[in-house]
Structure formats: C-alpha cells, structure tokens
Amino acid sequence: MVRNLLFSFIWIPLFFTCNSPKNTTIASQNTPIVEFPLPTEDTLATQASPKNPDAPIPTPAPTPPPTVPINPPPHQESKILQVGAEQTAQLLPLLSQKKVALVVNQTSMAGKTHLVDVLLSKSVNIVKVFAPEHGFRGIAANGEKIANTVDEKTGLPIISLYGKTRKPTAEMLQNIDVLVFDIQDVGARFYTYISTLYYIMEDAATYNKEVIVLDRPNPNGHYIDGCMLNPLYKSFVGMINVPIVHGMTVGEIAKMLNGEHKIGDRNCKLSVIPCKNYSHKIPYSLSIKPSPNLPNDLAIYLYPSLCLFEGTIVSVGRGTDKQFQIIGAPEYNKSLYSFTPIPKEGAMLPPYNGQTCFGYDLSTLSAKDIRNQKGIELKWLIQMYNECPDKKKFFSNPNFFDQLAGNSSLREQIIAGKSIATIKASWQEDLKAFQQVR
C-alpha cells in the first residue's frame, strides 16, 4: 500500500515534467502562455489520491485565452497633394482621339516628368506646344520677345505667345481640338501667365475649341489684397479685374472667367482638373522657379509688394542672385546696402547693368514671416519715394506703374503723402465686393 502511494506521488510530477516542452519558461503577463499537453480525465481518475493532505497536488496548466484576430486598419486615402497634371486617369479620357495643343513651360511637371513626355508616353496626339512669357524652357528675360522654334527632344513645334502675337490666331488653332493649360502661377494680377490664360480662353470661345486647365496651388493664395483693375488701365500686366493679390488658383480664375462672362459674350467649353488635398491655407513651396527672377519662396512672397518698383527708378535685383529680395538705385545714399547688376540668365540686360546701386537688402527677412503678414507691404515703396533725392524722377515710367497698380490712384496717393493705413482703407470696399463673388 505504501509502495503504491509513493509511486503515485513520484509518477504524477514526472508525467508533467517529461511531457512539457523543452526550454519552457514561466510567462509574464504580457507573454502568451505556452500550452502544455495534459493527461486525460481517465488517467487522472485512476491515479490514487494521497493520504497525506499536506502533500502538494499538481495543477494542470491553465488553458490560454483564445486568440483574437487583429483586424488591419481600414484603408485610408493618401493625403499627399496632387496637382492636376498628375491625375492622368481624369485627363486621358478627355484627350482620347483628339488633336491636342499644350500651353506649358518648365513648371509643367507631373512628378519628375514633364507633361509633354507623360502624354507622349500615353500615345496622346500632341500637335504643338504654345509657350508663354519666358519661353518653353523658362529662361528668357521679362519682356523678351520669343521666336517660334522646334523642341529638340520631341520634334514638336513651339509656338511663342510672347513674340509677334500674344494670343493664338485662327491659323494656329485650325488643326486643334483641345488646348491644355498647365503653368504654375504665383497669385499676382501682373504675373502674365493668367493673361495668357485669358487669351487662350477668349480664342477658344471664338473658334469653338475645348480648354482643359490642370490646376496647381497658388503660393500666395492665402490672402487677398491690393487695388482692383480699372478697365482704363487694362494691359497684358493686368487683363482681369481682380485685386493685385487675388488669392485664386489658375483653375479658379478660369471658372470665374467663364462663369462671369469676363471673356466676352461667349463661354468656352472648359474643364478643370483641380488639385487633390489642397488648401489655400497650407504653405506651398515651388520646387521649380516659375520664372527666371523668382528663385525662392521669399522672392515669391515679396513679389506682389516689390513688382510695383518696376515702374520706378528702383531696381529689384535683376542681374543679381537676390532677385526680388533687394531694392536700390545709384541715386540713393552711398552708406546704404550696395549691389551691382550684371548680365545673367533671365536678365541679360538688367537695369543699371554694371552700376553700383544703393538701397536695402530684404533677403535676410524670414519667408515665413512675410507669408504670415497676409498683405501687400507698402512701406518700402513709400520709404524709397521719400528717400529719393529727386522725387519728380522716382516714377520713371508712370504709365507702366499705373498699369501694374491697376489705376493711377496709388501713384497719386504716394505723391500726396498719404499714409499706408489711408491707402489700404481705400481698397477695402472693392475687396469686400470681390470676396463675395470669388
């Protein structure tokens, strides 16, 4: 009897020891419990119960909790910004079986590939390319006349819209079904790419052609400011009756032109492929210079304020490496910041070529701070006028200044010594009216 009891006490722990997995350790609270093979109920029932109540009774290993399947997170659509040119699934059906003309330049990129190359790779029938100011490659100087040419890579004819004509002729559009406009803008009325858009839409309406605008963000699209355009001062640096800083993308401008009949009595057949995941409030930095003399974010943010100097004696740094980030002229105090313009790509004959100019260096300003001001800065314009030794010569090209401003009022207010607050107050009624229809 005793022998049988001893055998039971020895056999039970040995059973669990011999049948446990090798190298098994005790699990922590966060470690999955290893499942042991257990003896059956019949086996346990046949084992003799010890007579000694104090003897330890082995306990079967607990059963691990059931495995809960981990569900993968629901699919979330990417929030990466996509410009219109990158949305080929929408664009290609609009071009199928059609003769296509592109209105593009160096900014017309879909990712790292130019739109021309993207569409040719998809067997789109591109007949010709129209190029705006600064040309197809974007290296010509402001105001420089550009001749027609042929693209060396593709053999496509490049038709200049900044040479003998600034709008397509009936002959140019004769063998075209649709025009695709894809050019990066910077959000100022006097930046001439939207004037080219205006002429494209006007002629498309006249000759019954389709227009597709591939939209891109506006780096100055987070605010509205400046004078509206007086129709008496309409020119290629001011074709559309919007404020100097209009806060719109080219796609939004195209819809406005079509919807409000601002291109005449007829609308054109218009399609706009908007940006995905874009907000006017989000900063947008350009990876490619939109024109030769806007090299970085700071220059782009300062451009609406400094371009008005182009109608004065003051240089904005063309012919330097700080275009639209410095201001000055030879007439100013010799103790001020100095720079000397020289011929450079995009400014082969800069104002004051080879002459030392004196003025102010704005390149040390924070691009973020300038962007957050959300307004045209008039203090530099008024300061340079007040410091000019001969104020009668300051507005060296008053007609061009008025075309940039959109009226003669701004020039007259500066000459009259009006304050910044007074000048800006005179814009507010028109700005409020524009915001209602924007």
Side-chain angles (χ1 to χ4, degrees), residues 399-410:
N399 291 335
F400 187 56
F401 182 91
D402 292 349
Q403 288 175 345
L404 292 169
N407 56 49
S408 62
S409 300
L410 179 58

Side-chain angles (χ1 to χ4, degrees), residues 296-338:
N296 53 39
D297 290 342
L298 179 60
I300 289 168
Y301 295 148
L302 288 172
Y303 177 74
S305 301
L306 300 190
C307 190
L308 292 166
F309 279 114
E310 303 266 56
T312 74
I313 64 170
V314 176
S315 163
V316 292
R318 297 183 189 274
T320 75
D321 294 327
K322 296 182 178 181
Q323 310 98 308
F324 285 94
Q325 299 158 86
I326 52 179
I327 49 177
E331 289 88 342
Y332 285 86
N333 192 310
K334 303 295 187 289
S335 65
L336 298 175
Y337 170 81
S338 64

Side-chain angles (χ1 to χ4, degrees), residues 370-384:
I370 296 297
R371 182 184 186 278
N372 290 340
Q373 285 182 3
K374 298 181 181 180
I376 292 175
E377 184 57 81
L378 293 174
K379 68 179 180 181
W380 299 308
L381 184 61
I382 292 175
Q383 181 177 353
M384 294 302 280

Side-chain angles (χ1 to χ4, degrees), residues 268-288:
C268 71
K269 184 178 179 181
L270 173 69
S271 300
V272 175
I273 299 181
C275 300
K276 280 187 177 180
N277 304 315
Y278 170 63
S279 166
H280 285 264
K281 297 179 181 179
I282 299 175
Y284 181 69
S285 182
L286 304 187
S287 58
I288 298 175

Side-chain angles (χ1 to χ4, degrees), residues 86 108-115 117-118 153 288:
E86 295 172 326
S108 308
M109 302 294 288
K112 295 183 178 180
T113 307
H114 197 278
L115 181 65
D117 299 317
V118 171
K153 180 179 178 181
I288 298 175

Side-chain angles (χ1 to χ4, degrees), residues 50 69 74 82 103-104 120 123 134 141 159 163 213 230 249 269 276 300 305 314 323 355 358 371 374 379 417 430 432:
Q82 278 189 310
V103 188
V104 292
L120 287 176
S123 300
H134 306 298
I159 310 302
V213 175
N230 183 325
T249 66
K269 184 178 179 181
K276 280 187 177 180
I300 289 168
S305 301
V314 176
Q323 310 98 308
Q355 300 182 56
F358 303 92
R371 182 184 186 278
K374 298 181 181 180
K379 68 179 180 181
D430 288 339
K432 289 178 181 177

